[in-house]
Amino acid sequence: MRVIFWGTSDFAVPSLERIYEHGYKIVGVVTSQEKQAGRGLKLIASPVKIAASKLNLICLEPANPNTQEVYEIIKNLQADICVLAAYGFIIKSQLLNLPSKGFVNIHPSLLPKYRGAAPIQRAIMNGEKITGVTTFYMNEEMDAGDIILQETVPIGDDETYDEVKKRLAKLGADLIIKTLIGIQENTVTRTPQDHSQKSIAKKIKKEECLIDWQKPTRIVHNLIRGLSLEPGAYTYFRNKRVKIFKSTIPTQKSTIKINEPGRMFTENKRLFVFTQDGYLEILLLQLEGGKIINAIDFINGQRISLEDKFCNQMNRTV
């Protein structure tokens, strides 16, 4: 089969590479345009473009994929099927109806749950114990097409978004090959989604990333790991923003009895922070303008004492 691959983020890269390695003819790759990033505002290529270049594949970067010009280019590539993973744009019906074997999406959730832009992050933030990957035929409604295949995996109690994403990216690569083989051999079935069970995983907003230490320990922990490493849950310490990337819920009891949300304490060179109903151990964090460090380096560098607190605003305590 002749394949056009649509993708942008690092989640999509293993699927692109696996399709190539499996011998399918990739006649084109469509990705987002290069974006300015960093202090120098240099143009940065998407992870998919970088991967496509290494494989010597034709790569298109339309500002809008739904123009007539893009349609004609895609039509001339004469693909049998299009595969999409974390592309970042809505595809309209004119394109969706072009390939004879359809447009297939690789989505990192167990549809119909967590349709939308941030399925992995939302699942972790909500404390889900199980997630997975779904391949489905796309239609014009967001993540609502007929399911082809699904595979489930557990989410560890301390697993972060970055860790789960990497696992699901590999699982998605395996699943798309099974899907393509099934489509090619005409052995796949189409299972309509139960739309009454749908949930929407909206894009993460900046204001959601601020940690509220007055919430229960489990809620705070899930927020931290659900936003790690991107975009990062944050708090304030000595009037500087601090991102926290790794935490765990301790099993042992502490002798400290202050129990004030946001208040820090240390035991055996370990860093703890009180919440509404207990406390959380902090493992990895990043001071504004600095690099990611472990708790020991933070304790030593900042000389943490019982007088220190994480705050929810500049110049104000929790």
Side-chain angles (χ1 to χ4, degrees), residues 148-167:
I148 304 170
L149 294 174
Q150 282 187 328
E151 193 158 337
T152 63
V153 292
I155 301 175
D157 288 341
D158 290 339
E159 266 196 301
T160 65
Y161 162 57
D162 192 58
E163 292 165 342
V164 175
K165 180 176 67 172
K166 288 176 180 177
R167 286 203 296 123

Side-chain angles (χ1 to χ4, degrees), residues 5-22 24 26 47-52 55 57 83 85-86 106 133 162 164-177 180:
F5 187 88
W6 303 64
T8 297
S9 80
D10 53 353
F11 172 82
V13 171
S15 292
L16 171 62
E17 293 174 338
R18 190 69 59 83
I19 293 169
Y20 179 86
E21 292 164 1
H22 209 74
Y24 288 101
I26 301 175
V48 164
K49 181 179 180 179
I50 294 170
L55 299 175
L57 298 172
V83 175
I106 308 164
V133 175
D162 192 58
V164 175
K165 180 176 67 172
K166 288 176 180 177
R167 286 203 296 123
L168 293 184
K170 293 179 181 178
L171 180 63
D174 292 336
L175 202 62
I176 191 58
I177 295 303
L180 290 176

Side-chain angles (χ1 to χ4, degrees), residues 1 26 79 89-90 100 109 126 128 140 160 182 195 211 233 240 243 246-247 266 272 309:
M1 285 193 299
I26 301 175
F89 288 88
I90 293 173
S100 60
S109 84
N126 288 342
E128 299 283 4
E140 280 204 273
T160 65
H195 302 300
I211 300 169
K240 286 188 176 182
K243 287 188 175 182
K246 191 80 172 177
S247 60
T266 62
F272 302 90
K309 291 183 68 176

